[in-house]
């Protein structure tokens, strides 16, 4: 069954998405039960693939900042896909060829210090280029720092051992900086490393559409790669890098905008604030958005926002969320607050009446505006 989803010794060898057929957001806000056209019309994933993608949403540092619950969900989804087999003999398939983006690795700290830094930094994009059907078959790991700075390419001569395994030997690497007319050699003497420059990479899952690839390296590391990231991942990547966030939100909501406030039940839950635009105000809400706290919405409309200004402290504001009958927005009335430091609790008045509009919501991400400030939340 297929369902839609809206909604980098040497660098280690490294989740993949390709253009497919129709799909639609899972658990996304809809209008009068009608399916709205979206960018996901061209992305297709099986149900196990969907579970992996959603388990990876919000994971920081490609696995370095993963919680135990997130890791459990990802590993469970990976195992389910490996059991399902996917494309048999993936190294014999042309779908393994091309540029793959690294999304997750189970052991991001197994490489050298400089490589650990590259892999764990969300603002860097890590790719693996696989080209096996040429006169010079190669596997190349690419770290793209930014369009303005440049990239690092670590290349390896490659050969196919069997239907799953690629053998490789690293032989050259260099930095290409936009501001320099020459390449800077990568400080690893591959020729002197001997067998340390060698390795292998097993592909344990390749999706039937060429969307996702799961591989395991000779050091026991699992890599999840994809060819084309889906828009929710692109949005989260922009937030992580701090570049092009408003543009990513505008593009995302353009194709996924809801024409109503959606189902209130879709808002119920615990939400982590990922990003908020500057509104220029000095109210409690403006200050709290800067703290990147958590918002809890209950079924009875009770709302609680809390954040940790510094270790050992917690500031909380509570109120209610009500539907506005005259518009497509919600009214948020914040009433009481309390600052807690250890056993000490200091109450304070909040008294704010805010307008919240929902631009998009599904089972993982919520995009909205609160008094002219655009906010993005991730469901916990």
């Amino acid at each position: 069954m297929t369902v839609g989803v809206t909604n980098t010794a040497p660098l280690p060898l490294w989740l993949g998405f390709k253009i497919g057929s129709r799909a639609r957001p899972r658990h996304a806000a809809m209008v009068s039960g009608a399916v709205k056209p979206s960018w996901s019309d061209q992305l297709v994933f099986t149900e196990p693939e969907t579970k992996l993608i959603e388990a990876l949403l919000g994971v920081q540092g490609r696995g370095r900042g993963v919680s135990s619950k997130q890791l459990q969900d990802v590993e469970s989804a990976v195992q389910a896909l490996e059991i399902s087999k996917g494309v048999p003999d993936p190294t014999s398939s042309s779908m393994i060829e091309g540029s793959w983006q690294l999304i997750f690795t189970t052991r991001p700290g197994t490489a050298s210090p400089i490589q650990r830094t590259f892999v764990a930094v969300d603002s860097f994009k890590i790719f693996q280029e696989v080209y096996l059907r040429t006169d010079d078959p190669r596997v190349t790991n690419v770290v793209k720092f930014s369009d303005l700075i440049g990239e690092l390419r670590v290349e390896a001569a490659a050969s196919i051992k069997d239907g799953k395994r690629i053998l490789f030997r690293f032989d050259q690497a260099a930095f290409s900086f936009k501001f320099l007319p020459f390449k800077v050699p990568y400080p690893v003497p591959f020729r002197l490393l001997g067998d340390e420059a060698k390795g292998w990479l097993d592909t344990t899952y390749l999706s039937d559409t060429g969307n996702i690839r799961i591989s395991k390296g000779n050091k026991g590391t699992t890599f999840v790669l994809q060819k084309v990231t889906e828009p929710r991942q692109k949005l989260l990547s922009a937030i992580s890098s701090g570049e092009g966030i408003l543009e990513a939100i505008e593009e995302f909501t353009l194709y996924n905008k809801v024409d109503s406030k959606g189902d209130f039940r879709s808002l119920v839950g615990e939400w982590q604030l990922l990003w908020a635009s500057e509104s220029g105000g000095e109210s409690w809400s403006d200050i709290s958005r800067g703290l990147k706290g958590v918002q809890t919405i209950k079924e009875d409309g009770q709302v609680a926002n809390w954040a940790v200004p510094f270790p050992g402290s917690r500031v909380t504001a509570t109120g209610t969320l009500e539907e506005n009958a005259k518009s497509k927005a919600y009214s948020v009335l914040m009433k009481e607050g309390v600052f807690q430091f250890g056993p000490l609790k200091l109450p304070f008045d909040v008294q704010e009446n805010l307008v919240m509009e929902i631009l998009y919501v599904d089972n993982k991400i919520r995009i909205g505006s609160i008094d002219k400030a655009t906010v993005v939340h991730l469901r916990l």
Side-chain angles (χ1 to χ4, degrees):
M1 180 178 71
T2 59
V3 296
V5 182
T6 56
N7 337 350
T8 194
L11 282 176
L13 283 174
W14 301 295
L15 226 249
F17 300 100
K18 212 174 187 179
I19 300 303
S21 59
R22 290 197 175 271
R24 75 167 182 85
R26 191 163 77 110
H27 304 310
M30 298 172 58
V31 183
S32 302
V35 178
K36 292 175 61 62
S38 76
W39 49 264
S40 61
D41 288 348
Q42 295 185 351
L43 290 175
V44 170
F45 309 102
T46 65
E47 187 172 353
E49 290 169 354
T50 299
K51 290 183 179 180
L52 175 59
I53 295 167
E54 297 198 339
L56 290 169
L57 287 175
V59 172
Q60 301 294 308
R62 299 176 185 88
R64 191 171 188 177
V66 68
S67 68
S68 57
K69 177 62 167 60
Q70 287 174 316
L71 181 59
Q72 181 181 353
D73 291 344
V74 172
E75 290 181 338
S76 176
V78 166
Q79 291 171 5
L81 286 173
E82 290 177 333
I83 292 173
S84 72
K85 303 300 184 182
V87 174
D89 298 331
T91 59
S92 301
S93 172
S94 61
M95 288 190 292
I96 200 172
E97 308 242 340
S99 181
W100 296 83
Q101 184 171 355
L102 177 68
I103 303 300
F104 181 84
T105 173
T106 56
R107 301 172 64 191
T110 57
S112 69
I114 189 170
Q115 294 155 3
R116 286 199 300 269
T117 300
F118 292 155
V119 174
V121 178
D122 283 317
S123 59
F124 298 162
K125 294 182 179 180
I126 315 295
F127 295 87
Q128 182 182 79
E129 298 175 356
V130 179
Y131 294 102
L132 304 175
R133 290 158 183 79
T134 68
D135 294 335
D136 182 24
R138 305 191 74 79
V139 174
T140 303
N141 296 330
V142 183
V143 182
K144 293 189 176 182
F145 304 113
S146 74
D147 292 336
L148 295 177
I149 297 177
E151 65 182 26
L152 165 66
R153 298 178 65 87
V154 183
E155 300 187 29
S159 63
I160 298 174
K161 180 180 180 181
D162 54 38
K164 292 184 178 293
R165 181 164 294 185
I166 299 173
L167 304 177
F168 64 87
R169 175 193 282 272
F170 288 103
D171 56 9
Q172 57 184 310
F175 293 91
S176 296
F177 296 117
K178 298 288 186 178
F179 48 83
L180 292 177
F182 53 86
K183 295 182 179 180
V184 178
Y186 183 67
V188 174
F190 295 115
R191 294 182 181 179
L192 302 179
L193 291 178
D195 289 343
E196 289 297 316
K198 296 180 180 179
W200 51 261
L201 187 69
D202 284 348
T203 295
T204 58
Y205 178 79
L206 178 63
S207 65
D208 292 332
T209 57
N211 289 341
I212 296 175
R213 183 177 125 225
I214 301 172
S215 294
K216 295 185 184 294
N218 54 290
K219 294 184 178 180
T221 308
T222 297
F223 306 102
V224 184
L225 308 99
Q226 63 190 72
K227 281 187 176 176
V228 179
T229 55
E230 59 115 308
R232 287 184 302 177
Q233 294 173 301
K234 291 181 179 180
L235 173 57
L236 294 179
S237 177
I239 291 174
S240 296
S241 67
E243 297 180 353
I245 300 174
L246 287 174
E247 291 83 354
I249 292 175
E250 182 178 0
E251 179 181 1
F252 186 93
T253 56
L254 177 64
Y255 294 100
N256 297 279
K257 189 176 181 64
V258 295
D259 296 328
S260 74
K261 63 190 67 176
D263 188 348
F264 174 81
R265 291 173 298 179
S266 65
L267 305 179
V268 174
E270 196 171 39
W271 298 88
Q272 172 73 57
L273 177 63
L274 296 181
W275 181 84
S277 64
E278 296 182 7
S279 63
E282 298 181 356
S283 66
W284 151 255
S285 296
D286 296 313
I287 296 173
S288 64
R289 283 193 288 269
L291 298 175
K292 302 288 179 65
V294 174
Q295 181 181 75
T296 301
I297 301 177
K298 297 183 178 181
E299 292 183 359
D300 61 0
Q302 297 296 308
V303 178
N305 296 335
W306 64 269
V308 178
F310 49 84
S313 69
R314 176 166 168 156
V315 60
T316 304
T318 58
T320 58
L321 177 67
E322 299 177 356
E323 295 190 53
N324 191 325
K326 297 181 180 180
S327 71
K328 298 177 182 179
Y330 290 89
S331 295
V332 184
L333 179 60
M334 304 306 294
K335 302 175 182 179
E336 301 174 344
V338 60
F339 174 79
Q340 182 175 357
F341 184 72
L344 179 64
K345 294 184 178 181
L346 300 175
F348 60 89
D349 290 330
V350 179
Q351 299 304 321
E352 285 189 319
N353 196 347
L354 310 172
V355 176
M356 181 175 77
E357 181 182 0
I358 303 301
L359 302 178
Y360 176 84
V361 61
D362 65 15
N363 60 321
K364 293 293 290 188
I365 287 182
R366 191 182 96 208
I367 305 173
S369 63
I370 300 180
D371 278 8
K372 300 181 180 180
T374 302
V375 292
V376 180
H377 288 82
L378 182 72
R379 191 188 296 273
L380 297 179

